[in-house]
Amino acid sequence: MDEVKQLVTDIKNRKLKPIYFLMGEEAYYIDKISDFIESSVLSEEERGFNQMTLYGRDVTIDDIVGQAKRFPMMAEYQVVIVKEAQDLSRSIEKLAAYAKNPQPTTVLVINYKYKKIDKRKALYKALKPDCVVYESKKLYDNQVGDWIRRVLSPKNYTISPKAAQMLVEFIGTDLSKINNELEKLQIILPKGTQISPEHIEENIGISKDYNNFELRKAIGERNALKAHKIVNYFGENPKDNPMVVTVSLLFSYFSQLLHFHGLKDKSPRSVASALKVNPYFVNDYITAARNFPMRKVSIVVSTLREFDVKGKGVGLNAVPQGDLLKELLVKILS
């Protein structure tokens, strides 16, 4: 995020580069930077003659270079934006010749989503000295909660750790989708609000009581009644709570518990750093570790591998996922 802020600041201050090569697995920041250039480099009057959007599936590298070499009309710059440039992955290296000597009055923006160019090859080497090469990396699950808080803070909103965790577990790490949901909440809730699990449940449709986060917590506490209630709910609503997601999250959880047991320093700060979790949740892991000794954790990890295969239908004849989850829960808590 800091790198993006610096890029935006430089663009605002007219410290423009001839090529912005935006690449990587996370599309959110690629779109944000590209959209900012599209809306801010040229005035509304200048855009008609000097701004063009191309799509990778419809053009060749020669088409892009030909457009980039044009001179602006009654403006300091022209802006050429190539969206979905990953469709040109087989020929993208041909852009190296232009990158070595780009047109100084053109701002060329390449949106190369979900992929990245080989840093050993000619294009990257040609871009690196005088152009911007921005790699947008996918965030890990444990990083998204902090990202949510940083996005909300300038807009005068906060979010509880549990609410942030609910969003991550329900939506995943797709920042664009998470941001869409946050924007909906900002329309509904007044500034200064702390977004709570109740807000998430009421406005996004994620149950604050029946979700994978609460299931993990109940299992960690060995609260069999609560865990069975959640699993029964999952069985009745399989489309919203697919077994493959539940098993994957439980596997990650028990893998972290295994790591916890191996730590020499079990102070809260050390645990949060080692497990890459919010310090708010450290006590949950400490409780779970007391309830699940290392030997039992190892057995549970093996059981989860077994049920991951079963959940994908290997060796079974259409056993309902709800029944499999109930069986899995019994084995975990036994």
Side-chain angles (χ1 to χ4, degrees), residues 24-30 136-139 173-176:
E25 294 179 23
E26 178 51 67
Y28 177 81
Y29 283 119
I30 292 175
S136 186
K137 297 179 180 178
K138 202 85 170 173
L139 295 185
T173 59
D174 187 317
L175 301 187
S176 296

Side-chain angles (χ1 to χ4, degrees), residues 179-246:
N179 189 64
N180 287 342
E181 298 301 336
L182 293 176
E183 288 181 346
K184 291 176 190 174
L185 290 170
Q186 289 166 55
I187 292 170
I188 298 164
L189 304 173
K191 288 184 181 296
T193 300
Q194 180 178 65
I195 298 170
S196 67
E198 288 75 16
H199 293 136
I200 300 292
E201 182 175 48
E202 291 166 11
N203 299 293
I204 298 178
I206 309 169
S207 172
K208 67 180 176 63
D209 297 316
Y210 298 97
N211 56 65
N212 285 302
F213 172 78
E214 290 297 329
L215 176 61
R216 290 191 318 189
K217 195 171 190 297
I219 290 172
E221 294 170 350
R222 281 195 172 274
N223 186 337
L225 178 61
K226 183 178 179 181
H228 278 289
K229 281 183 177 179
I230 295 170
V231 163
N232 287 337
Y233 178 86
F234 285 3
E236 292 167 3
N237 301 274
K239 289 185 178 179
D240 294 331
N241 304 278
M243 180 177 172
V244 64
V245 174
T246 298

Side-chain angles (χ1 to χ4, degrees), residues 38-39 41-53 67 70-75 77-80:
E38 186 174 359
S39 64
V41 171
L42 300 178
S43 67
E44 191 172 345
E45 295 77 18
E46 291 171 333
R47 288 177 204 147
F49 292 106
N50 297 292
Q51 189 156 289
M52 176 168 286
T53 300
Q67 183 65 40
R70 291 178 55 217
F71 290 96
M73 293 179 62
M74 296 177 289
Y77 293 99
Q78 71 154 343
V79 175
V80 180

